[in-house]
Amino acid sequence: MKIDGVFSGGGVKAFVFIGALEALEEKNIQFERVAGTSAGALFATFLAAGYTARELKDIFMKVSLEQFLDQSYLGKVFPFLKWLTLYRTMGLYRGNYFEEWLRDKLRAKGVITFSDLPTNKLKIVAADLTFNQIVIFPDDLKKHYHIEKNYFPIAKAVRSSISIPYFFRPSKLINPLTRQKSYLIDGMILSNFPLWIYDQPGQQRVRPILGMQLTDPNQHKQKQAIDNAVDMLKATIETMRHAFDTKYISENIAKEILFFPVDDLKAIDFQLSNKKKLELIDFGYQRTKSFIKNWP
């Protein structure tokens, strides 16, 4: 059976997706189109490029996530400098290593730009701070930035989508016509779970849609304690992350969503042990097997 898939963001919690994909492959459920935000965009990209669950498990069990926390040479020698330069750089880590790593992995499958994939195969969500808007790669490249979408590097699009504010430096896009520079960050800011991409009003579905969302089981029950400006910033980001997606889900049937409540792990825990990786993968596998039994 062929379906369309949408993957939410959630940082390192996304290891559960590997187990979920294993369970789906066992039932010969294949993705025709995929979309995602942040870590979800990464896994959607791997699927679009032709990677299997087994290949992804091999890749991510071997990779050290800490290598993605790339700093300048001076930042490594004098760690306090990364905090002193945060005002200018807008991010503790450059994100360059991740982009090159992903570029190499995609090149191994013969995929570099969006022209190497079937039309509409992959949609990646990011947020443009300069123009205050959601950006969907590759659809919005021509319309908003005068950039030919078919020849845009997929790795750069994913790099934009995973740019967690203040953690990774924003990605930059320069309009070749106007020379306007745009700063792009993690798509979670505006839509962490873009299920709406494949479920447009007035359009008939051509195949089932399965959404995979990394959720905290209490995220909609907890009240935000706001006592200072830092608390207010965190609460603002959380509200932006969930408001739009929660409203969309509440107005649609949740039976199409596979929820993964991972509440004992932070999205930016890049010191994840192999034992924890395997636990997350198994959790995703078992939860997906149970879901499939009752999935209409």
Side-chain angles (χ1 to χ4, degrees):
M1 179 174 71
K2 291 197 173 184
I3 65 174
D4 292 332
V6 179
F7 298 81
S8 81
V12 299
K13 298 180 183 182
F15 270 86
V16 301
F17 291 153
I18 298 175
L21 295 174
E22 284 182 327
L24 292 171
E25 287 179 6
E26 287 181 357
K27 294 294 184 180
N28 198 30
I29 298 174
Q30 303 172 348
F31 291 96
E32 182 69 15
R33 300 182 299 177
V34 285
T37 298
S38 196
L42 174 60
F43 279 90
T45 296
F46 274 125
L47 284 174
Y51 277 94
T52 66
R54 177 176 293 182
E55 289 175 316
L56 291 177
K57 186 175 183 179
D58 182 62
I59 289 172
F60 283 96
M61 288 303 299
K62 291 179 179 178
V63 72
S64 170
L65 300 180
E66 291 183 88
Q67 67 189 6
F68 298 141
L69 307 181
D70 52 343
Q71 308 173 49
S72 65
Y73 175 76
L74 288 178
K76 291 180 181 179
V77 178
F78 306 105
F80 66 91
L81 285 180
K82 69 181 181 183
W83 295 98
L84 294 178
T85 59
L86 180 61
Y87 178 79
R88 279 290 183 187
T89 62
M90 296 179 281
L92 296 174
Y93 305 105
R94 294 182 295 178
N96 296 342
Y97 184 93
F98 169 82
E99 185 174 339
E100 288 302 317
W101 172 84
L102 179 57
R103 195 187 306 272
D104 288 341
K105 297 301 180 186
L106 294 179
R107 187 181 292 115
K109 293 288 187 179
V111 175
I112 298 175
T113 68
F114 283 97
S115 64
D116 296 318
L117 297 175
T119 302
N120 295 323
K121 178 72 174 182
L122 174 65
K123 307 287 186 184
I124 295 171
V125 175
D128 185 328
L129 293 181
T130 305
F131 289 102
N132 309 311
Q133 62 189 5
I134 289 177
V135 178
I136 302 175
F137 290 98
D139 301 20
D140 294 334
L141 284 167
K142 189 72 172 179
K143 178 170 58 175
H144 296 320
Y145 307 103
H146 296 98
I147 295 174
E148 179 53 54
K149 65 180 184 180
N150 287 333
Y151 302 102
F152 190 83
I154 296 175
K156 184 171 179 60
V158 179
R159 159 71 177 87
S160 300
S161 185
I162 62 98
S163 299
I164 302 171
Y166 302 114
F167 194 75
F168 286 117
R169 296 176 186 178
S171 177
K172 300 174 186 176
L173 277 186
I174 299 178
N175 188 316
L177 191 64
T178 65
R179 306 309 299 172
Q180 171 68 53
K181 181 189 297 181
S182 290
Y183 289 93
L184 276 65
I185 62 171
D186 198 319
M188 71 172 184
I189 293 299
L190 298 178
S191 183
N192 195 46
F193 184 45
L195 194 65
W196 45 269
I197 282 183
Y198 293 136
D199 193 22
Q200 296 293 333
Q203 293 184 9
Q204 186 175 359
R205 294 186 181 181
V206 295
R207 65 188 66 84
I209 299 174
L210 176 61
M212 297 192 190
Q213 186 174 25
L214 301 168
T215 59
D216 181 328
N218 301 311
Q219 69 180 25
H220 302 305
K221 299 178 182 178
Q222 294 177 341
K223 295 180 180 179
Q224 298 279 6
I226 303 175
D227 298 316
N228 52 57
V230 175
D231 289 341
M232 181 176 176
L233 176 61
K234 291 170 61 179
T236 299
I237 291 176
E238 286 301 308
T239 300
M240 289 189 296
R241 283 184 61 191
H242 299 299
F244 179 80
D245 294 333
T246 301
K247 180 176 184 296
Y248 178 85
I249 293 171
S250 67
E251 295 175 351
N252 293 270
I253 302 174
K255 64 184 180 182
E256 299 165 338
I257 302 172
L258 181 46
F259 294 98
F260 297 99
V262 181
D263 62 341
D264 61 342
L265 185 67
K266 294 181 179 180
I268 55 174
D269 187 0
F270 280 70
Q271 291 76 37
L272 204 62
S273 68
N274 278 355
K275 179 182 177 182
K276 187 60 180 179
K277 290 179 182 179
L278 289 173
E279 289 176 358
L280 289 169
I281 292 171
D282 184 63
F283 175 66
Y285 177 79
Q286 298 298 338
R287 194 168 180 86
T288 303
K289 282 189 67 175
S290 299
F291 175 87
I292 292 174
K293 293 178 182 178
N294 301 308
W295 187 33

